[in-house]
């Protein structure tokens, strides 16, 4: 768990036993302290491929503005989820994107 966008970028750039950590899934809040979700996506897109891996990014928000969803997808988010993020929704996403685990 990272508490803001910069911490998440630092984590992705770090190495663990010589390899960059590559989570399978990131839930990214649009409104974060220091670096918002769109700023994170822009910085994430600039990372070298070996630091990104195949990571799915879902934006979380309370926004009802369709432009926010379009902006998120344009910046490379795989999905746009309105809060609250429920356990049932996490399972639904996992079944859709990681069916081999079910």
């Amino acid at each position: 768990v990272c508490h803001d966008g910069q911490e998440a970028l630092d984590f992705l750039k770090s190495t663990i036993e010589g390899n960059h950590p590559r989570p399978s899934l990131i839930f990214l809040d649009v409104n974060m302290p220091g670096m918002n979700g769109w700023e994170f996506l822009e910085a994430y897109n600039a990372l070298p491929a070996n630091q990104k891996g195949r990571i799915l990014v879902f934006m979380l928000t309370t926004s009802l503005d369709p432009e926010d969803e379009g902006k998120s997808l344009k910046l490379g988010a795989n999905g746009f989820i309105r809060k609250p993020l429920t356990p049932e929704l996490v399972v639904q996403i996992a079944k859709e994107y990681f069916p081999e685990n079910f």
Side-chain angles (χ1 to χ4, degrees):
V1 174
C2 297
H3 300 293
D4 61 49
Q6 188 58 57
E7 184 180 341
L9 285 174
D10 292 343
F11 175 72
L12 293 172
K13 292 177 184 179
S14 70
T15 56
I16 300 171
E17 297 181 8
N19 296 308
H20 295 289
R22 297 198 280 184
S24 300
L25 182 61
I26 294 175
F27 289 108
L28 181 63
D29 199 332
V30 171
N31 295 310
M32 296 184 292
M35 173 187 285
N36 68 36
W38 292 300
E39 292 167 333
F40 172 87
L41 279 175
E42 289 172 351
Y44 173 78
N45 289 334
L47 290 175
N50 67 330
Q51 292 178 355
K52 291 195 296 191
R54 185 182 171 267
I55 300 173
L56 299 171
V57 179
F58 287 86
M59 296 293 279
L60 297 173
T61 185
T62 56
S63 173
L64 299 175
D65 187 343
E67 289 184 23
D68 287 346
E69 182 173 2
K71 182 176 182 178
S72 297
L73 299 175
K74 182 178 177 183
L75 287 171
N78 299 90
F80 190 82
I81 300 169
R82 288 185 178 80
K83 292 180 181 180
L85 180 63
T86 63
E88 294 81 15
L89 186 53
V90 172
V91 169
Q92 179 184 339
I93 290 168
K95 284 181 177 179
E96 181 177 345
Y97 289 94
F98 307 102
E100 65 278 4
N101 296 321
F102 289 90

